[in-house]
Amino acid sequence: MVADIKESVRAVDASAVLELLPRRPRLLALGEPTHGEDALLGLRNALFRQLVEEGYRTIAVESDCLKGLLVDEYVTGGPGTLDRAMEVGFSHAWGAFPANRELVRWMRAHNEDRPASQRLRFAGFDGPLEITAAASPRQALTALHDHLAARVDAGLLPCTADALDDLLGPDDRWTDPAAMTDPARSVGRSAEAARLRLVADDLVALLDTQAPHLAAAASREERERARLYGRTATGLLRYHHAMADTSPARMTRLVTVRDQMMAHNLLALAERGPVFVHAHNSHLQRVKSAMRMWEGRVEWWSAGALVNAEVGEDYAFVAGALGTIGHQGVDAPPPETVEGLLYALGEDRCVVGAARLAAALGDPPPAPRESPWFGYAPLDPAHLPHIDGVAFVRDAAPN
């Protein structure tokens, strides 16, 4: 099987990745099978640097979209320090990883003395969500309200700022981590939350209906940010509503809302130009994603699947694959798996077309590799027909 693909294996670089694709996509996604490994993040950084030369100016990562605004401000020459950007600009504790720090440092240095049109941009495309809790909708709702209140007649607003504050109440009502496992602890279906969903909908509608006026009254950057606040507010309120659900479909609704928020953010980012996207494979693949949680198996359409349905060949997905993670007990892969076939090549890093891999593995494809560690998701060979390429890292050393 190794001989069947050896001639088509390339070093991981921008030209090799782009040659796998029928056209240069507006959204080029690189997945990873686990989070936090420096070897995978370093590969992402190196590839982005090369893609910049190919016209990609934005990198979008699996992190809070509102926190990401702070990183974007920093890399485009704004005030503050690198330490501050890493501390407050990432969710999921991603700011602590050295490779993420190096990415932000390099982007700021690259942007120095460049005009705004040539600067690199950073974006988080995840919602303000953690696996154990979700943020209050306060930041997004109040920012959207403030944007409109400063530019349109007050009589058009659905409520005053004080009324909005009263409806929101204390933030800890929204962020209670117990609500993730106990729907009764969620405020997502309270009378106030129901009213807030109507307010958010009215604010977003006002943003749309006042577009001709706002085009003259606000900069493009301000308008893009206002739309982000609108998407985030409505998405968070929908997420909190699902947290209060007591039906068996509760977790499916939660993961679906999250990836829908991701997809909407990616589509909006693509409006400004080509975007390089990095996240877990499960958020980027075209086939249905699945995972086992405390409430059982959950299946949903990922952000990548939703974006692909919208833009077709303007979306491309290169899945990440990994040979060993010795410090997590993930040893050399069985030879009949995707990872085993790539591991036998002996290359530290390589990329290969998914169709060539599928042909080498045969039909029907073998079963996916089994992982002894819950934090690593092997690549399923049955997914190869729906993937553009596979970027492989042979060994992940301890960070």
Side-chain angles (χ1 to χ4, degrees):
M1 288 193 295
V2 173
D4 293 336
I5 65 167
K6 197 167 184 63
E7 290 185 1
S8 60
V9 171
R10 299 276 303 277
V12 184
D13 58 35
S15 61
V17 170
L18 292 172
E19 285 173 8
L20 296 174
L21 311 174
R23 57 186 282 185
R24 185 160 303 193
R26 204 163 182 83
L27 289 154
L28 173 54
L30 173 68
E32 61 179 2
T34 186
H35 284 314
E37 293 297 331
D38 274 351
L40 299 174
L41 295 175
L43 177 70
R44 174 207 64 188
N45 289 358
L47 187 56
F48 179 55
R49 292 184 186 186
Q50 296 166 359
L51 286 169
V52 167
E53 303 304 316
E54 301 291 339
Y56 288 82
R57 293 285 182 271
T58 298
I59 184 168
V61 304
E62 187 184 334
S63 185
D64 182 334
C65 57
L66 299 185
K67 288 179 180 291
L69 294 172
L70 301 172
V71 180
D72 186 55
E73 181 180 27
Y74 176 75
V75 300
T76 53
T81 65
L82 177 58
D83 286 343
R84 179 66 175 165
M86 303 311 297
E87 178 184 353
V88 301
F90 288 83
S91 58
H92 307 89
W94 297 154
F97 290 102
N100 286 335
R101 185 182 184 89
E102 173 56 23
L103 172 68
V104 174
R105 185 208 63 76
W106 177 79
M107 290 179 69
R108 170 128 175 163
H110 183 278
N111 283 337
E112 286 183 4
D113 302 322
R114 280 183 165 83
S117 62
Q118 296 180 18
R119 290 176 189 159
L120 306 182
R121 303 293 299 273
F122 178 94
F125 72 98
D126 200 354
L129 310 167
E130 297 284 353
I131 193 63
T132 56
S136 163
R138 176 181 300 280
Q139 180 184 357
L141 270 176
T142 55
L144 177 58
H145 189 281
D146 289 349
H147 174 86
L148 289 165
R151 295 169 176 84
V152 304
D153 187 278
L156 296 176
L157 295 168
C159 66
T160 65
D162 287 342
L164 179 60
D165 186 63
D166 288 342
L167 286 170
L168 286 163
D171 283 348
D172 57 10
R173 295 194 316 152
W174 300 93
T175 58
D176 181 4
M180 180 53 72
T181 53
D182 182 1
R185 297 290 294 270
S186 172
V187 297
R189 299 196 178 185
S190 64
E192 294 86 354
R195 172 62 181 152
L196 284 168
R197 293 187 76 182
L198 292 174
V199 168
D201 185 67
D202 284 345
L203 288 172
V204 171
L206 187 58
L207 195 65
D208 290 340
T209 58
Q210 292 294 307
H213 166 66
L214 293 171
S219 68
R220 178 177 178 177
E221 192 79 16
E222 289 170 329
R223 299 195 307 275
E224 285 182 355
R225 187 168 291 202
R227 289 196 293 270
L228 172 61
Y229 290 138
R231 293 193 303 274
T232 306
T234 55
L236 271 176
L237 287 165
R238 192 178 303 117
Y239 193 88
H240 280 288
H241 186 265
M243 287 181 77
D245 185 10
T246 57
S247 79
R250 178 176 184 267
M251 289 307 302
T252 299
R253 289 196 173 99
L254 288 172
V255 294
T256 297
V257 170
R258 181 186 180 192
D259 272 71
Q260 182 188 40
M261 293 175 72
M262 288 181 168
H264 288 170
N265 285 335
L266 289 176
L267 291 170
L269 288 168
E271 293 177 6
R272 72 165 63 146
V275 182
F276 179 52
V277 185
H278 186 253
H280 196 279
N281 286 330
S282 63
H283 291 303
L284 300 176
Q285 62 194 28
R286 292 183 175 96
V287 298
K288 260 192 170 181
S289 297
M291 68 183 300
R292 185 160 295 281
M293 304 186 74
W294 57 87
E295 294 186 357
R297 181 180 171 84
V298 179
E299 295 185 358
W300 75 101
W301 291 108
S302 74
L306 297 175
V307 168
N308 183 75
E310 185 74 19
V311 303
E313 288 187 352
D314 259 333
Y315 177 74
F317 170 47
V318 176
L322 193 54
T324 72
I325 321 174
H327 53 286
Q328 298 291 358
V330 180
D331 297 323
E336 69 276 7
T337 62
V338 174
E339 292 85 358
L341 178 57
L342 294 169
Y343 194 82
L345 295 169
E347 302 287 342
D348 289 337
R349 299 179 179 184
C350 63
V351 64
V352 63
R356 294 298 299 270
L357 272 176
L361 288 167
D363 187 19
R369 178 187 190 183
E370 293 185 7
S371 172
W373 176 49
F374 74 94
Y376 161 63
L379 191 60
D380 187 339
H383 293 179
L384 289 173
H386 309 282
I387 294 170
D388 296 297
V390 176
F392 179 71
V393 173
R394 197 167 195 269
D395 300 296
N399 296 341

